[in-house]
Amino acid sequence: MRKKVLIIGGGFGGLATVRALKNADVDITLIDRTNHHLFQPLLYQVASASLSPGDVAVPIREVLRRQKNVRAVLGEATGIDTTARCVKVDDSIYDYDYLVVAVGAQTCYYGHAEWERYAPGLKTISDAIRIRENILTSFEKAEVTEDERERCKQMTFVVVGAGPVGVEMAGAIAELAKNCMCSDFRRINTSQARVILIEALDRILLAFDPRLSEKARQALEKMGVEVRLKSKITHIDDKGVWLGEELISTANVVWSAGISAPALTKSLGAETDRLGRVCVNPDLSIPGCPEAFVIGDASFSLSDGKPLPALAPVAIQQGKYVSTLIRTELPAGGRMPFVYHDKGFMAIIGRAKAVVQRGGFKLSGFWAWCAFLVVHVAVLVQFRNRYAVTAEWLWYYLGNRPGVRLVTGHQNPQDKGT
Amino acid sequence: MRKKVLIIGGGFGGLATVRALKNADVDITLIDRTNHHLFQPLLYQVASASLSPGDVAVPIREVLRRQKNVRAVLGEATGIDTTARCVKVDDSIYDYDYLVVAVGAQTCYYGHAEWERYAPGLKTISDAIRIRENILTSFEKAEVTEDERERCKQMTFVVVGAGPVGVEMAGAIAELAKNCMCSDFRRINTSQARVILIEALDRILLAFDPRLSEKARQALEKMGVEVRLKSKITHIDDKGVWLGEELISTANVVWSAGISAPALTKSLGAETDRLGRVCVNPDLSIPGCPEAFVIGDASFSLSDGKPLPALAPVAIQQGKYVSTLIRTELPAGGRMPFVYHDKGFMAIIGRAKAVVQRGGFKLSGFWAWCAFLVVHVAVLVQFRNRYAVTAEWLWYYLGNRPGVRLVTGHQNPQDKGT
């Protein structure tokens, strides 16, 4: 009887696990609520109209079609029973011998879920399209309004949280407004748009060396982004963003200030940290369940006393590690702990500007940007999108014209015309 | 005082008018409810997952950014007053000296608007994405269901109306199911999918020569499409499509059986035909209003005793013609009537299969398909998309793997993960 391996989530961790079990004598079921693997590091480029959704997402079935020991199921896992060893997916029950939970993270508003309405996060393609349409629609509204205050509000863009995604998003909006769209409008001057990056702590890109943080801040400010450190959001509503008594009037907020694990992890019955991440054993299994693992952003473990970062390389290495345990059927007692091999950090700031850090090695500016492109295209090579992404990027960087500036939502399908 | 030209609709007709007025001494306002010009002849390729929305749509501001005498407004025209010479757009009023109504067409259900829910048409990007997600989701449902009848229902695809769009759509679904996705699934055999093309009349592609219709029908049947002629839909609901007492059980219906003009045309106060199209004078103006024109799919006029077809070349030629009248400020009495120079018809059936007809010239098969590609890429040359579309097509036709098989809708943005 071949062992049944159930993997929840087709992100970097889940897919790495599946692929590392390619020739193993097991039956794998991969469950995902979307039909695509999302290349999240480039998702901000969909939100800023540089890339199409199809450039950063690839159908899971496409990735797995040659691997015959895996079956993909489009569905939502709603509960896990680690005693009966089964998972509820929509109306069906799937039992398992080994379970790998790789459900990733979702945007976290720290108890203010009502802010989501005004300040979308950036985790899914729907999120990215929503942000793209917000940005483009705001410029359109600014162009037609006769009200000067309304125009300022529509042309103010706030990004909350200055991690890599926040920095990338602020830089991308600034480039879009100040370089790319200047000749598109007749009444407004898009280069007068305000882009404000708000960070609660005292520097941006906290994971990086302070000198790189400083370089990134200078680069952003040179691009016209207002960087506000030690600023804490107290409220977000349809007027804008409140910092205590101060109101920044805006119709455009992007939230990149935190992530938490999805609610599903709670049904594992294991201890979680304050962000809902499951505290796992050194072998990434759940305490008391050597056959159930949590990997990637949804798991919490320490490396040299520090929590592992929520990065694709961590999830991928964990997926490969877990697949080895499953393949060799190692009992809990005989397992070496998971060790993360640090691949460093990267953040892109804008055209020909980035910061890169790996161990003691630090790089910023043009060559860091080249490194970013090479690494990301190299990873995309595994999928079909390399060709399209390279083409779009060439177009963008040579022509300075992000091509996918589409607003497609909210249309009444019965009433197209004007 | 420069004359004010107001153009409603940024489709082929509207944009042709704007561009032909490039160096004219007029102030142009172009109103569209979307921010993009849509290349409708290729929209079915978005619906069938071969192209991304960004490949067939280009921002209107991008097209017009070098033309300084035009201002684009994103908004919905809701009423036209030809006496006061003004148009209501959302909450604003725009007055004009010349008006060009180029609002195109919408899907027509001939009094059965309730069918729209089950049988989307194919006029907008939202429509195309909806159809794409329907098709892909159906295969996913068929893969997981244990119910054989449900599986058959999910794997039955019905296209209603065998004009060019219906033929293209039926061919594209057949290729997707029977060639491209076979290795993607483990339990279902996608090549067993049924694709049914339903036509009320006695042949498909009525606008073409009967011999080409017959060739196209044979080609479709060879690809596995069931072509049902002289079949009239009596009802559509969640069970499927009814032809009198007969039920075709299906969860996938695409409606391409008719178009009508948007309701806006009624506010012109002019005579319309039964599809709501405005009956225009030989100079395309509205009777009694020599300064107001209706062009493209929303207008009705005869050429050699036959109504002009709803095709891009008609709209483009009409736009150029009208722009000449405006530029020269010809009074109604001195205008030559509009004459359509027939550019012929084309329909693509599938990989390396198409039919082309122009005057007495007829072509089918591989060379017709090459002609289709050349003509369409040549038109796209005007926009940025040529590069991306050619790349996607090469990928598709060389690799047989339509790349944009994404289901992104209906996600709860707060609960991504699995």
Side-chain angles (χ1 to χ4, degrees), chain A residues 180 351 392-402, chain B residues 62 65:
Chain A
C180 312
R351 203 179 162 90
E392 289 280 345
W393 276 355
L394 276 178
W395 180 266
Y396 175 51
Y397 283 111
L398 297 180
N400 209 2
R401 308 282 311 159
Chain B
E62 172 83 24
R65 71 196 166 103

Side-chain angles (χ1 to χ4, degrees), chain B residues 60-385:
Chain B
I60 288 173
R61 295 192 186 283
E62 172 83 24
V63 179
L64 301 179
R65 71 196 166 103
R66 290 190 206 284
Q67 186 172 340
K68 295 300 177 194
N69 65 347
V70 59
R71 184 186 158 207
V73 172
L74 178 71
E76 182 163 7
T78 50
I80 301 169
D81 184 337
T82 49
T83 312
R85 295 193 185 175
C86 65
V87 174
K88 189 163 188 303
V89 179
D90 298 327
D91 298 330
S92 308
I93 301 286
Y94 292 80
D95 54 347
Y96 63 81
D97 297 304
Y98 286 104
L99 173 69
V100 181
V101 178
V103 293
Q106 63 188 20
T107 306
C108 174
Y109 294 88
Y110 306 106
H112 292 282
E114 71 277 12
W115 295 354
E116 197 277 329
R117 210 177 134 193
Y118 308 105
L122 185 59
K123 295 302 287 179
T124 67
I125 286 184
S126 305
D127 289 343
I129 291 176
R130 184 174 158 206
I131 291 171
R132 180 179 83 189
E133 305 210 330
N134 277 359
I135 295 172
L136 299 174
T137 308
S138 277
F139 283 116
E140 298 290 343
K141 286 182 181 163
E143 173 83 353
V144 293
T145 187
E146 304 293 337
D147 180 343
E148 186 55 33
R149 280 168 64 184
E150 178 67 16
R151 184 172 301 133
C152 288
K153 181 182 176 184
Q154 294 293 347
M155 287 178 66
T156 300
F157 300 85
V158 173
V159 179
V160 184
V165 174
V167 166
E168 283 158 1
M169 204 61 230
I173 298 173
E175 286 197 332
L176 192 67
K178 292 173 195 292
N179 302 331
C180 312
M181 290 174 58
C182 281
S183 51
D184 278 5
F185 294 88
R186 298 290 174 266
R187 301 173 88 199
I188 58 170
N189 179 350
T190 58
S191 70
Q192 290 172 356
R194 283 180 77 192
V195 183
I196 305 167
L197 178 62
I198 294 178
E199 169 59 50
L201 301 173
D202 63 351
R203 64 182 175 100
I204 67 172
L205 297 176
L206 197 70
F208 288 73
D209 183 88
R211 274 166 298 175
L212 284 182
S213 294
E214 182 56 24
K215 280 198 174 151
R217 190 183 62 76
Q218 287 169 3
L220 281 173
E221 292 189 338
K222 209 168 163 188
M223 291 161 68
V225 176
E226 303 169 34
V227 180
R228 296 185 57 163
L229 302 173
K230 296 189 243 177
S231 300
K232 204 164 152 24
I233 306 275
T234 50
H235 187 60
I236 304 177
D237 60 21
D238 58 353
K239 293 199 188 67
V241 166
W242 296 83
L243 303 154
E245 290 301 303
E246 183 193 356
L247 168 68
I248 300 175
S249 179
T250 176
N252 275 281
V253 188
V254 177
W255 184 267
S256 59
I259 54 174
S260 62
L264 179 69
T265 55
K266 293 206 180 71
S267 65
L268 287 166
E271 188 192 349
T272 56
D273 75 346
R274 70 188 173 90
L275 299 174
R277 296 180 299 184
V278 178
C279 303
V280 292
N281 292 328
D283 66 352
L284 306 178
S285 68
I286 301 165
C289 302
E291 76 292 344
F293 304 89
V294 186
I295 65 173
D297 295 0
S299 81
F300 176 83
S301 57
L302 298 173
S303 166
D304 298 334
K306 285 195 299 188
L308 285 171
L311 290 175
V314 174
I316 292 168
Q317 290 180 28
Q318 291 182 330
K320 289 180 182 164
Y321 166 85
V322 163
S323 74
T324 307
L325 301 188
I326 294 171
R327 187 191 288 267
T328 54
E329 303 213 44
L330 273 179
R335 297 174 183 171
M336 298 286 286
F338 170 74
V339 179
Y340 175 54
H341 300 282
D342 189 4
K343 297 280 185 181
F345 302 94
M346 295 185 151
I348 203 161
I349 300 160
R351 203 179 162 90
K353 285 186 276 292
V355 285
V356 171
Q357 175 176 337
R358 183 169 177 175
F361 176 76
K362 297 175 198 73
L363 196 62
S364 64
F366 177 73
W367 293 109
W369 178 76
C370 291
F372 181 96
L373 293 196
V374 167
V375 167
H376 286 81
V377 170
V379 177
L380 278 170
V381 165
Q382 307 171 40
F383 308 120
R384 66 161 284 272
N385 311 58

Side-chain angles (χ1 to χ4, degrees), chain B residues 24-50:
Chain B
D25 190 30
V26 292
D27 283 324
I28 308 168
T29 304
L30 175 66
I31 293 160
D32 198 297
R33 55 179 285 170
T34 76
N35 79 333
H36 51 272
H37 168 70
L38 183 58
F39 195 75
Q40 285 216 353
L42 291 180
L43 191 58
Y44 82 96
Q45 299 215 356
V46 175
S48 58
S50 295

Side-chain angles (χ1 to χ4, degrees), chain A residues 32-33 35 61-62 67 70 103 106 126 140 185-187 401 405 407-408 414-415 417-418, chain B residues 32-33 35 61-62 64 67 70-71 103 106 126 140 186-187 401 405 407-408 414-415 417-418:
Chain A
D32 199 296
R33 57 179 283 170
N35 78 331
R61 297 191 184 281
E62 172 83 24
Q67 187 173 339
V70 58
V103 293
Q106 63 188 19
S126 305
E140 298 289 344
F185 294 87
R186 298 290 174 266
R187 301 173 87 199
R401 308 282 311 159
R405 302 201 303 281
V407 179
T408 59
Q414 263 295 67
D415 198 9
T418 60
Chain B
D32 198 297
R33 55 179 285 170
N35 79 333
R61 295 192 186 283
E62 172 83 24
L64 301 179
Q67 186 172 340
V70 59
R71 184 186 158 207
V103 293
Q106 63 188 20
S126 305
E140 298 290 343
R186 298 290 174 266
R187 301 173 88 199
R401 308 282 313 157
R405 302 202 303 281
V407 180
T408 59
Q414 264 293 66
D415 198 8
T418 61

